[in-house]
Amino acid sequence: MVNPLWKITELRKQLQIITKDESPDIVLTNARYLHGIYKKWMEGNIWIQSDRIVYAGKEMPEVGPDTEVVDVSGKWIVPGYIEPHVHPFQLYNPHSFADYAAQSGTTMFISDNLTLFLSMENKKAFSILDQLNELPFSYYWWTRFDSQTALAEEDKLFSSKSVGEWLDRPEVILGGELTGWPKLLNGDDQMLYWIQQAKTNRKKIEGHFPGASEKTLARMKLLGADGDHEAMTIDEVEMRLLHGYGVTLRHSSIRPDLPSLLKGVVDRELEVFDKLMMTTDGSTPAFHLDGVMDLCVKIALEAGVPAIDAYMMSSYNVARFYNMTSMHGLIATGRFANINILDDIENPVPSSVISKGVWLKRDGKKVFTLPSIDWKHLPELELDFELNEDDFQFSMPFGLQMVNDVITKPYSVSIDPNDGFLSEEHDESFLILIDREGKWRVNTIIKGFASSVKGFASSYSTTGDIVLIGKNRADMWAAFNELKRLKGGIVLVEDGKTIVELPLQLGGLASDLPMEELIPIEQELKAALRERGYKHGDAIYTLLFLQATHLPYIRVTQQGIYDVMNKKILFPAFMR
């Protein structure tokens, strides 16, 4: 836990509030609040001092001249929502996403550290965590044991020292997610050692087992996996529960499975709601126009989940699974004052939000913006090299064919790629992955991305390397130069003119804009791609997962074109 103990002077004052020798900061009177242990609505008063609930029960405190007394008669009070599986650099950043999510009641994240881990040394990453910990929002993290791609120097980056330093951090509460689990089953003792180290530190292990057989689930359970968020059918939910997994149901921009999964739980009359959690699993910005965890609660209510269970799936269940109920997920004495005030039990969007004792939203209006943090340790993207004619040489006999947003399979190239442009009568495009430091490149053809995208450049990728896609070499070149000028982002160019650009000021990986400003730009970009033939669900995820070796069948990586199923490099990267 981060700062589990309050200072002695703070504790003494809290005790004096109980004995009515001191007064609290805030009192919510006539509160009807959800109690996760009793699983019922309680009536009483909630006393808040600084960031802590010092009492919740029938009594009233000594009310001083500075005590804010708020009558919440007729309201429904629930714990702040917990998002248990956040990828916090999906164009947004951890700060901007938290500021946005808190307005709809999500006041705690459990987040992926991969971007920070790959982008900077641990000391600098930890300085960012320290700043986030000072905000009136609860940030926790998991640490990766693999990169989910084929890095040029993965063994040097993922060392016992570097991973161990993350596991030693108090706000890191789990290891995973285990995208590299096939290596583990094939005898990777290094990953198994990290799992054991996490277990020794009483941290959970999160799996990543889409479509896994019962045999795989059983073996991974024996190796230490505690939970998994990849169930895509109700049968897969039941199988994970059978083997004792913590099951997180997903509703994301590429896997909106929650309605069907909950329908299955309800239809089969499974009495397992207290064993379930929910997540939006790193959805892209515009998806969150409909909410964050409040959206998941809404879907649960619509699926016929009892209201108490729906709200506990987004709060108490998560805290209990991660052994954090002493601080989170419960409106009771001693917990952080993370409180959502609802006007209607059927509407999970709170009219007021308190996070760590701070009013973030009040009577339907935002009243507090999370203070900014300093991102100076996230290295600025400086593309201090120029492209040349050799960078546009394409000679590979096969390329990548998109099956959907994120799955790519090999296909034989039948077009002539040497004219500098490709016809818009087919959906094949040039694809280059180029090192952000200009040392190497991988050239191939991608089929199924779009039919009319002429020049497209992105620094948003798994590793932060540069992705170039297009029909026209000149427009791809121009898109790269505009990306260079922006110092990172996503750029669409057509006939030498920039059509859309989405700057990613934070290391070329994330935007520093508030979500409210970022979402319209993302929508404009996606609309422009659809107009030019992109027919899949989420182009941002396509960019992110082109390098992802935890998905079949073929990937473009720092090492070259990678065959996932056979675990080998088919064509190595070219040194520039």
Side-chain angles (χ1 to χ4, degrees), residues 456-471:
F456 186 74
S458 173
S459 60
Y460 179 79
S461 64
T462 297
T463 58
D465 296 311
I466 309 305
V467 176
L468 302 179
I469 300 175
K471 294 279 189 176

Side-chain angles (χ1 to χ4, degrees), residues 36 39 60 73 76 99 266 278 387 453 465 505 532 550 552:
K39 288 191 68 174
M60 273 292 289
S73 299
W76 303 83
D99 187 66
V266 172
M278 301 182 287
L387 297 184
V453 169
D465 296 311
Q505 304 91 335
R532 289 159 178 79
H550 66 293

Side-chain angles (χ1 to χ4, degrees), residues 83-86 108-113 140-145 163 166-178 194-195 197-199 201-207 224 226-229 248 318 321-322 324:
E83 224 304 4
H85 195 88
V86 178
M108 175 175 157
F109 286 167
I110 302 176
S111 300
D112 184 2
N113 79 326
Y140 297 92
W141 299 81
W142 73 80
T143 185
R144 292 280 188 155
F145 298 152
V163 173
W166 275 88
L167 285 173
D168 286 340
R169 289 287 298 195
E171 66 273 83
V172 174
I173 62 173
L174 70 156
E177 56 190 285
L178 296 179
W194 289 331
I195 290 174
Q197 188 178 356
K199 293 290 189 176
N201 291 344
R202 300 183 181 276
K203 301 176 192 288
K204 298 283 189 177
I205 298 296
E206 176 71 2
D226 294 294
D228 182 71
H229 59 285
T248 305
V318 182
F321 179 73
Y322 287 105
M324 301 173 77

Side-chain angles (χ1 to χ4, degrees), residues 279-467:
T279 181
T280 58
D281 194 11
S283 294
T284 45
F287 181 83
H288 291 294
L289 282 170
D290 294 327
V292 187
M293 291 310 297
D294 58 304
L295 173 61
C296 293
V297 176
K298 180 175 183 289
I299 291 170
L301 293 171
E302 291 173 347
V305 177
I308 286 177
D309 286 309
Y311 286 105
M312 287 180 61
M313 286 165 64
S314 65
S315 56
Y316 184 74
N317 291 6
V318 182
R320 183 180 57 195
F321 179 73
Y322 287 105
N323 303 316
M324 301 173 77
T325 55
S326 62
M327 294 291 175
H328 293 284
L330 188 65
I331 297 176
T333 298
R335 278 66 180 184
F336 278 120
N338 298 336
I339 294 170
N340 290 337
I341 302 174
L342 312 178
D343 292 340
D344 186 337
I345 193 175
E346 296 298 325
N347 179 11
V349 180
S351 56
S352 299
V353 177
I354 299 173
S355 182
K356 289 188 174 178
V358 177
W359 290 95
L360 302 185
K361 181 181 185 181
R362 194 145 187 191
D363 299 326
K365 296 181 180 179
K366 183 176 185 177
V367 295
F368 188 91
T369 297
L370 296 184
S372 60
I373 69 168
D374 188 348
W375 290 100
K376 65 182 179 182
H377 291 310
L378 192 59
E380 191 173 63
L381 180 62
E382 293 282 359
L383 300 175
D384 56 357
F385 62 93
E386 303 291 337
L387 297 184
N388 56 56
E389 297 288 339
D390 290 341
D391 291 323
F392 290 88
Q393 300 301 312
F394 296 85
S395 58
M396 289 188 184
F398 70 87
L400 284 66
Q401 181 175 355
M402 294 179 61
V403 177
N404 56 31
D405 315 51
V406 298
I407 304 296
T408 50
K409 65 180 183 180
Y411 87 104
S412 297
V413 175
S414 59
I415 59 171
D416 181 1
N418 296 313
D419 292 335
F421 61 89
L422 298 175
S423 169
E424 295 184 25
E425 295 181 359
H426 57 71
D427 63 354
E428 291 160 280
S429 304
F430 298 118
L431 168 62
I432 305 174
L433 178 69
I434 190 163
D435 175 33
R436 62 189 284 147
E437 296 181 0
K439 296 178 180 179
W440 51 262
R441 60 179 168 82
V442 182
N443 295 53
T444 188
I445 302 293
I446 186 168
K447 177 177 174 60
F449 180 79
S451 57
S452 304
V453 169
K454 294 185 176 180
F456 186 74
S458 173
S459 60
Y460 179 79
S461 64
T462 297
T463 58
D465 296 311
I466 309 305
V467 176

Side-chain angles (χ1 to χ4, degrees), residues 17 20-24 27 47 60-64 67:
I17 291 171
K20 302 188 180 182
D21 295 311
E22 290 280 355
S23 301
V27 182
W47 312 357
M60 273 292 289
E62 179 68 23
V63 175
T67 302

Side-chain angles (χ1 to χ4, degrees), residues 115-165:
T115 297
L116 295 176
F117 190 90
L118 296 180
S119 302
M120 66 189 76
E121 61 186 53
N122 285 349
K123 184 178 180 181
K124 293 179 179 179
F126 296 156
S127 74
I128 292 175
L129 267 58
D130 290 339
Q131 292 182 71
L132 292 172
N133 289 339
E134 296 299 315
L135 302 178
F137 192 93
S138 298
Y139 291 93
Y140 297 92
W141 299 81
W142 73 80
T143 185
R144 292 280 188 155
F145 298 152
D146 69 277
S147 67
Q148 74 177 31
T149 184
L151 294 177
E153 297 183 324
E154 178 139 348
D155 290 342
K156 291 183 180 179
L157 188 60
F158 284 84
S159 67
S160 288
K161 180 178 184 296
S162 60
V163 173
E165 288 174 350

